């Protein structure tokens, strides 16, 4: 049996005295009327009180257990209900309390499930999202944001002494974002800001700060939705650089053509020797502009189609032989031989014949330009049992290598060779008729083909440019007639 608490003792006294009073009045009246002796009155009154106390005590113990139980429920909802001894009323109360407890438990489970599904939805969002209260303190973060700011599940971070432990400023120090958050909270209007996170790699984010019309139960007053802009800004920069570079490349020959035209119309009007020389230069510059425009158009055409993978079955030997034939004259002029070597029964490539001949044309032309005079450029076609790690898919693939024996390229330049307009020696490239776009075109064509270009080079020994291409699958094989026409240059 539970020990009685002080208030229970008080209750016991109060509840026992009350019901005893009528009996005590009757006994006192009988004493006054001398019907009973005072001794008997006193003893009887005592007996009445003890009987009342015993009766109340048996009931009170049950109610005490109920009170204890109700108090326990506040802290541990799964507390076991007490077993009651006598009171039917207490038992009814216990039944009502138990029903109430079940209802609370259901509501609590519902609320927990709701909070979990809300968190699951937020975690499924690919972009980082922070929930912030009216004082700019962090309330919650989705998985992407926890990942970005290296937050633990309970959002703990090393404290920043300058800001409150949960202030948004601990995560995003950029004053533009903090100002935008304060503004959104005070004016109740959306705000936007951009910020940069310096480590581990510099990344730029756009943040949209949306205040809630009413503060949520968990204190959330502002949603901070972030979007990674790094890639887009890089693309924008590249596009701007590209336009600037292309304009610059065109402006130089154009300025030269304009300059010579003015000279021919002016001071050199009657100078026939100058006419011949200047017209020759103008023709060269006009040809340079044409090549540049052709390459720019090729590049944009390839870029437009880059997401659609070519599936024609193309015979590499046919394409390479016709490329070699086309370049035979410039090769002979430099005293260079183009040597072709093919593995027997080379399987067809899944490719676009026109684009492949452009790839080989660019690589062999570079071999001739930078390979030194009176040398040779070797072209080999074979099946490679392994793929470069950067090439998608598994299993064997086709490999075509173009090797020259020129001056070679220093290692530090290799990663940048496929950038548009990147040249190791700009003046030399221009004097050889280069546009600086040849390898960029090769790279884009390879990416469309789900293939790769690798470059190996050694100073003084020469360079090998290899393209790895996927083989045509049997299902993707076109009819023999189509195959012949595809293989045409
Ligand atoms: P370009 O029109 O200038 O040849 P490319 O994009 O074809 O442009 O090549 C970019 C640069 O790579 C060239 O300017 C040259 O510096 C270098 N390069 C390309 N191929 C070779 C090679 N076979 N040997 C040496 N350097 C090469």
């Amino acid at each position: 049996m539970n020990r009685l608490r002080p208030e229970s003792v008080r209750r016991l006294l109060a509840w026992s005295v009350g019901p005893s009073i009528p009996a005590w009045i009757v006994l006192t009246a009988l004493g006054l009327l001398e019907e009973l002796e005072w001794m008997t009155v006193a003893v009887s009154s005592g007996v009445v009180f003890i009987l009342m106390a015993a009766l109340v005590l048996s009931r009170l113990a049950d109610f005490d257990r109920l009170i204890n139980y109700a108090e326990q429920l506040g802290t541990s909802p799964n507390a076991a209900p007490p077993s009651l001894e006598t009171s039917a009323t207490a038992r009814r109360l216990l039944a009502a309390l138990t029903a109430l407890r079940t209802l609370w438990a259901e509501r609590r489970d519902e609320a927990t499930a709701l909070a979990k599904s809300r968190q699951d939805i937020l975690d499924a969002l690919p972009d980082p999202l922070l929930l912030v209260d009216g004082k700019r303190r962090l309330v919650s973060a989705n998985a992407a944001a926890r990942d970005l700011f290296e937050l633990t599940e309970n959002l703990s971070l090393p404290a920043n002494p300058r800001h409150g432990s949960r202030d948004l400023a601990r995560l995003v120090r950029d004053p533009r974002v903090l100002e935008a958050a304060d503004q959104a909270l005070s004016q109740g209007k959306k705000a936007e800001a951009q910020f940069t996170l310096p480590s581990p790699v510099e990344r730029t984010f756009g943040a949209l700060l949306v205040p809630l019309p009413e503060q949520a139960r968990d204190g959330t007053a502002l949603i901070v939705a972030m979007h990674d802009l790094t890639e887009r800004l890089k693309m924008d920069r590249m596009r701007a650089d590209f336009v600037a570079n292309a304009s610059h490349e065109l402006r130089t020959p154009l300025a030269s053509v304009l300059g010579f035209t003015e000279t021919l119309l002016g001071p050199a009007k009657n100078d026939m020797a100058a006419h011949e020389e200047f017209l020759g230069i103008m023709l060269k510059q006009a040809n340079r502009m044409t090549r540049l425009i052709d390459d720019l158009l090729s590049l944009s055409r390839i870029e437009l189609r880059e997401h659609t993978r070519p599936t024609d079955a193309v015979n590499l030997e046919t394409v390479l032989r016709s490329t070699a034939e086309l370049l035979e004259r410039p090769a002979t002029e430099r005293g260079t031989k183009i040597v072709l070597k093919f593995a027997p029964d080379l399987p067809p490539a899944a490719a676009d014949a026109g684009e492949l001949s452009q790839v080989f044309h660019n690589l062999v032309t570079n071999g001739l330009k930078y390979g030194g005079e009176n040398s040779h450029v070797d072209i080999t076609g074979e099946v490679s049992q392994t793929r470069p790690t950067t090439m998608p898919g598994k299993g064997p693939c086709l490999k075509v290598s173009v090797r020259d024996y020129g001056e070679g390229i220093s290692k530090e330049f290799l990663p940048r060779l496929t950038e548009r307009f990147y040249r190791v020696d700009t003046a030399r490239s221009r004097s050889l008729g280069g546009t600086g776009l040849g390898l960029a075109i090769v790279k884009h064509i390879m990416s469309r083909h789900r293939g790769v270009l690798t470059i190996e080079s050694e100073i003084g020994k020469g360079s090998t440019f290899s393209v790895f291409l996927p083989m045509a699958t049997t299902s993707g094989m076109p009819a023999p007639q189509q195959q012949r026409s595809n293989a045409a240059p």
Side-chain angles (χ1 to χ4, degrees):
M1 184 168 149
N2 294 346
R3 274 191 63 227
L4 283 180
R5 300 180 304 175
E7 70 267 28
S8 305
V9 175
R10 270 198 302 279
R11 266 201 315 271
L12 170 71
L13 288 175
W15 290 3
S16 307
V17 169
S20 303
I21 287 174
W24 288 344
I25 291 171
V26 172
L27 287 169
T28 312
L30 289 173
L32 287 173
L33 292 171
E34 295 184 353
E35 293 286 333
L36 283 178
E37 282 187 20
W38 285 111
M39 189 61 176
T40 315
V41 170
V43 171
S44 308
S45 296
V47 169
V48 166
F49 177 76
I50 289 166
L51 285 174
M52 281 300 170
L55 200 72
V56 167
L57 194 64
S58 66
R59 302 284 192 278
L60 198 62
D62 277 351
F63 281 100
D64 250 350
R65 287 187 198 103
L66 273 182
I67 292 167
N68 274 338
Y69 176 56
E71 282 173 353
Q72 265 181 12
L73 283 183
T75 50
S76 49
N78 295 325
S83 57
L84 301 179
E85 283 165 11
T86 49
S87 171
T89 315
R91 270 197 292 276
R92 280 181 60 199
L93 209 57
L94 177 63
L97 216 56
T98 312
L100 213 60
R101 189 196 73 162
T102 316
L103 193 71
W104 281 342
E106 277 172 16
R107 291 279 149 82
R108 187 197 57 206
D109 291 350
E110 260 173 41
T112 315
L114 218 69
K116 186 175 175 318
S117 57
R118 189 188 83 159
Q119 191 61 40
D120 286 348
I121 292 170
L122 294 185
D123 283 348
L125 295 176
D127 284 336
L129 193 95
L130 298 173
L131 304 184
V132 174
D133 72 7
K135 290 189 172 152
R136 227 178 58 186
R137 288 175 306 201
L138 192 60
V139 174
S140 171
N142 73 347
R146 290 198 300 272
D147 206 35
L148 177 69
F149 296 112
E150 294 173 6
L151 289 165
T152 57
E153 279 287 332
N154 59 2
L155 312 180
S156 61
L157 247 193
N160 178 344
R162 279 181 46 224
H163 300 285
S165 63
R166 284 195 163 235
D167 195 297
L168 180 63
R170 279 176 60 214
L171 305 180
V172 186
R173 308 246 161 93
D174 198 309
R176 286 172 299 178
V177 177
L178 304 177
E179 265 167 38
D182 291 341
Q183 187 193 326
L185 281 169
S186 61
Q187 299 178 358
K189 277 197 225 143
K190 273 189 225 171
E192 279 182 71
Q194 237 182 54
F195 66 97
T196 303
L197 289 181
S199 66
V201 275
E202 192 175 286
R203 281 196 282 171
T204 307
F205 287 85
L208 180 65
L209 302 106
V210 188
L212 294 185
E214 248 176 72
Q215 180 168 313
R217 286 289 294 275
D218 63 358
T220 303
L222 182 72
I223 298 175
V224 186
M226 286 155 277
H227 185 61
D228 194 342
L229 299 174
T230 320
E231 206 53 37
R232 214 190 75 197
L233 293 176
K234 200 169 114 193
M235 293 299 285
D236 287 351
R237 226 175 6 247
M238 269 172 63
R239 223 163 269 146
D241 284 354
F242 177 62
V243 171
N245 280 332
S247 318
H248 176 76
E249 292 287 335
L250 280 168
R251 183 170 294 151
T252 319
L254 193 62
S256 151
V257 170
L258 283 173
F260 284 116
T261 314
E262 277 167 15
T263 316
L264 286 177
L265 289 172
K269 208 172 185 174
N270 302 314
D271 183 345
M272 277 305 128
H275 271 220
E276 198 168 319
E277 186 193 341
F278 293 171
L279 283 173
I281 297 172
M282 285 163 73
L283 181 65
K284 223 169 138 192
Q285 298 298 349
N287 280 333
R288 186 172 147 197
M289 284 193 282
T290 309
R291 275 197 306 277
L292 196 66
I293 287 164
D294 284 347
D295 278 357
L296 285 172
L297 286 175
S298 291
L299 205 54
S300 78
R301 255 198 316 269
I302 297 154
E303 269 189 322
L304 277 179
R305 291 187 298 192
E306 206 163 326
H307 57 281
T308 56
R309 183 181 170 177
T311 50
D312 291 347
V314 175
N315 185 324
L316 290 181
E317 192 172 335
T318 318
V319 179
L320 282 160
R321 282 198 190 286
S322 71
T323 306
E325 241 168 68
L326 267 174
L327 292 171
E328 196 160 306
R329 227 182 87 196
T332 320
E333 278 166 13
R334 298 178 64 81
T336 303
K337 264 186 84 165
I338 299 174
V339 183
L340 288 153
K341 244 190 275 169
F342 294 100
D345 301 326
L346 205 58
D352 176 310
E355 287 185 2
L356 271 198
S357 59
Q358 191 166 9
V359 164
F360 300 137
H361 188 279
N362 291 2
L363 294 181
V364 178
T365 308
N366 280 353
L368 295 176
K369 282 194 300 194
Y370 305 105
E373 297 194 354
N374 304 318
S375 176
H376 54 110
V377 172
D378 296 338
I379 303 174
T380 47
E382 61 192 322
V383 171
S384 166
Q385 292 308 323
T386 53
R387 295 172 176 229
T389 46
T390 46
M391 182 168 169
K394 284 197 193 100
C397 64
L398 295 157
K399 177 182 179 187
V400 176
S401 299
V402 178
R403 170 148 180 51
D404 67 63
Y405 300 86
E407 74 252 46
I409 310 156
S410 180
K411 275 218 164 13
E412 75 256 32
F413 300 125
L414 293 182
R416 299 200 59 190
L417 288 190
T418 53
E419 282 176 26
R420 293 155 192 212
F421 296 116
Y422 185 83
R423 290 119 155 173
V424 177
D425 179 345
T426 307
R428 171 129 193 268
S429 153
R430 284 201 186 130
S431 73
L432 292 167
T435 59
L437 292 173
L439 291 180
I441 292 174
V442 171
K443 185 183 157 189
H444 279 279
I445 293 179
M446 278 302 110
S447 137
R448 182 178 174 224
H449 281 71
R450 311 292 187 266
V452 290
L453 165 76
T454 64
I455 310 170
E456 289 158 274
S457 191
E458 209 178 320
I459 292 284
K461 296 210 167 150
S463 315
T464 307
F465 288 74
S466 305
V467 293
F468 292 82
L469 286 159
M471 292 182 192
T473 55
T474 333
S475 58
M477 287 269 275
Q481 200 184 349
Q482 200 184 339
Q483 190 180 346
R484 262 199 310 279
S485 69
N486 279 336

